[in-house]
Amino acid sequence: GRTVYSPLFGGVYWDAQNVLQEDIKQIEVISGPGGSLWGANAVNGIVNVISKTAKESQGLYASAAGGFQPRDFGAIRYGSHIDTTLYYRVYAQRFDFNNTTLNGGIDAKDAWNMSQGGFRMDYYPGSKNTFTFQGDLYKGKEDDSASTYINGQNMLGRWTYNYSENSNFAVQAYYDRTYRNITRQVFKDELNTFDIDLQHNLSTGKRNKFVWGLGYRLDADNISNITNSILPAVKTLHLFSGFLQDQFTIIANRLDLTLGTKVLHNDYTSFELQPTVRLAYTPNSKNTVWASASRAVRTPSRFDGDNPSSPDFDSEVLIAYELGYRVRPAKNILLSLATYYNNYNNLRSIDSSATPPPTFYFGNHLEANTYGIEFSANAVLLPWWKLRGGYTWLHEEFETTSPITYPLSKYIEAIDPSNQFLVQSLMDIGKHFQFDGTARYVDALPQAITQPAVPAYFTFDLRFAFIYNWITVSVTGTNLAQENHGSSGSVKIPRSGFAKISVIF
């Protein structure tokens, strides 16, 4: 229910995201632009993590583990209920990760630990109403020299009213505070976010399914930076948004047309429009062909828009075209193929002044065309054996559009692997054993201004577990193919393993 996209630098602080895995209901990975529903910055895809309700996580769960790279981690959660209408859970967890290494075996000094706790309550006063209230707090430290400290808290409330099976209304509000102190760089940032939105799903007749909504977000940001590279240091950002989408059935059970758009207003570029059109043809229950065209934007972050050298930074714009095919050749096999062509304009570039000595600043003088394919497959080979996997191919072409642009700007953005594949096997062997494996290949990353080239690598993970009644004991090995493999920059990801014990009552 909360966005974790940072308005400071236009990305996510992944080190601060630590959801208890046992509380995850599902993870939706939506490829391609999703700005018409999700708003600004949903340009290349959306990852939506949906947690279980308190009703779905009753009883006691506890786990503890120890190993080489994840040195130790543990969690405990307890869920119960007051009566048949009010359910709750509370949890706490902690992890410690060892350092990785740099090229040449040098210690990367990126050891990381974090402690976190939280709660959730779900109230069902009747068949139509649901009230949810939840919150988390966390604290972490990075590096054995204590270069980075983080902490944060969040609280969320949501009311959902179900008119019928095809119509519901939801209002949600949350508060989120994040704090980061990087002592070596003399940098501090405290961000307080207040967000409220409403969404209404309704059906009119048998052909139309509408969804519309409104939203408002306030980001109060306070930065302390010795270099004064972001000014003003204290700033409040306002984001207003509204969206409307209609899924219209042209031919019953055969042809659907989806039209939608999101309109937003931000403090940097004023109004932005993000429309989409999608057509899906289902000739029978086994086949679906779909096509779409969309516009999405990445609005300026504070890193872009509040840099004194680049006050006129504009939104980055994507026009995307997609064509896909899904087929179920057998009841237990699902295949999907998606192709796309993306045209990007106003991408962030590094520009320089015309008079010496040159000064460098951010501009919008980079454009790109990318195209590729994504293939995925899911198969239940036997009642106890599942296979799933996928392959992606990506081609990128970046060009500068101004003589004042630093020629190597394109090598900052074009650092994605061309080929990737993944295969995962899940086996339930009898009543008491599980054997799972994941194999993956990632193509080489080209050299960029800020990082060396990274060789291609192949690796795999294995997990073996014994389950008996309320206890599970497992052993997991990760990155087993080689001692170390490359990652972004010069960091080497090591071979690792850990043992874990879990109990649930």
Side-chain angles (χ1 to χ4, degrees), residues 304-446:
D304 305 318
D306 290 330
N307 189 312
S309 300
S310 51
D312 299 321
F313 192 87
D314 205 353
S315 293
E316 298 176 308
V317 180
L318 164 67
I319 305 296
Y321 306 92
E322 301 172 274
L323 178 65
Y325 174 58
R326 296 186 185 96
V327 59
R328 188 180 291 276
K331 184 178 180 180
N332 59 335
I333 299 176
L334 178 63
L335 307 176
S336 177
L337 178 68
T339 63
Y340 60 89
Y341 177 83
N342 293 341
N343 175 253
Y344 299 86
N345 288 283
N346 297 337
L347 293 180
R348 182 169 62 193
S349 60
I350 298 178
D351 296 349
S352 61
S353 60
T355 57
T359 58
F360 295 97
Y361 56 92
F362 289 128
N364 292 102
H365 299 123
L366 192 64
E367 63 181 25
N369 295 308
T370 70
Y371 51 88
I373 60 173
E374 297 179 352
F375 172 77
S376 63
N378 287 271
V380 181
L381 301 182
L382 295 168
W384 51 271
W385 187 15
K386 299 178 182 178
L387 278 179
R388 60 189 181 195
Y391 166 76
T392 66
W393 173 72
L394 167 67
H395 178 75
E396 300 175 311
E397 298 173 352
F398 284 78
E399 294 295 337
T400 58
T401 60
S402 171
I404 66 172
T405 298
Y406 186 43
L408 297 181
S409 286
K410 57 184 178 181
Y411 296 111
I412 298 177
E413 301 291 342
I415 51 173
D416 302 301
S418 297
N419 296 276
Q420 299 183 73
F421 81 77
L422 180 143
V423 177
Q424 185 176 44
S425 170
L426 306 171
M427 295 182 179
D428 294 322
I429 305 173
K431 294 182 179 180
H432 302 295
F433 297 97
Q434 293 178 339
F435 183 64
D436 306 325
T438 301
R440 61 188 180 275
Y441 169 83
V442 178
D443 215 346
L445 294 177

Side-chain angles (χ1 to χ4, degrees), residues 176-395:
D176 190 349
R177 173 189 172 273
T178 63
Y179 173 80
R180 181 170 295 259
N181 180 3
I182 306 176
T183 58
R184 286 181 177 178
Q185 299 178 11
V186 195
F187 177 86
K188 297 179 181 179
D189 179 44
E190 181 176 8
L191 174 67
N192 290 272
T193 299
F194 303 85
D195 184 281
I196 183 169
D197 64 65
L198 62 89
Q199 181 172 310
H200 186 199
N201 295 273
L202 70 155
S203 298
T204 58
K206 297 182 179 180
R207 291 184 176 270
N208 290 85
K209 294 181 180 179
F210 284 101
V211 56
W212 67 273
L214 299 171
Y216 169 70
R217 182 177 304 149
L218 182 149
D219 289 311
D221 195 27
N222 188 342
I223 295 174
S224 175
N225 184 5
I226 193 172
T227 63
N228 292 322
S229 59
I230 300 177
L231 294 174
V234 179
K235 187 169 185 176
T236 299
L237 303 173
H238 304 271
L239 178 66
F240 300 87
S241 63
F243 73 90
L244 173 66
Q245 178 174 286
D246 177 25
Q247 181 179 335
F248 177 73
T249 300
I250 300 174
I251 302 175
N253 301 318
R254 291 291 183 268
L255 189 61
D256 289 338
L257 175 66
T258 301
L259 299 170
T261 189
K262 188 152 194 169
V263 181
L264 59 90
H265 183 278
N266 68 90
D267 292 345
Y268 293 108
T269 61
S270 189
F271 287 96
E272 298 284 1
L273 190 66
Q274 301 185 92
T276 187
V277 56
R278 179 179 294 262
L279 191 66
Y281 175 57
T282 308
N284 51 55
S285 60
K286 294 184 177 182
N287 297 271
T288 299
V289 180
W290 58 271
S292 71
S294 309
R295 182 182 191 268
V297 300
R298 187 186 81 85
T299 55
S301 64
R302 292 209 64 195
F303 189 66
D304 305 318
D306 290 330
N307 189 312
S309 300
S310 51
D312 299 321
F313 192 87
D314 205 353
S315 293
E316 298 176 308
V317 180
L318 164 67
I319 305 296
Y321 306 92
E322 301 172 274
L323 178 65
Y325 174 58
R326 296 186 185 96
V327 59
R328 188 180 291 276
K331 184 178 180 180
N332 59 335
I333 299 176
L334 178 63
L335 307 176
S336 177
L337 178 68
T339 63
Y340 60 89
Y341 177 83
N342 293 341
N343 175 253
Y344 299 86
N345 288 283
N346 297 337
L347 293 180
R348 182 169 62 193
S349 60
I350 298 178
D351 296 349
S352 61
S353 60
T355 57
T359 58
F360 295 97
Y361 56 92
F362 289 128
N364 292 102
H365 299 123
L366 192 64
E367 63 181 25
N369 295 308
T370 70
Y371 51 88
I373 60 173
E374 297 179 352
F375 172 77
S376 63
N378 287 271
V380 181
L381 301 182
L382 295 168
W384 51 271
W385 187 15
K386 299 178 182 178
L387 278 179
R388 60 189 181 195
Y391 166 76
T392 66
W393 173 72
L394 167 67
H395 178 75

Side-chain angles (χ1 to χ4, degrees), residues 478-493:
T478 61
N479 300 300
L480 296 176
Q482 55 195 62
E483 184 177 356
N484 292 284
H485 70 74
S487 180
S488 60
S490 56
V491 174
K492 295 291 186 179
I493 305 301

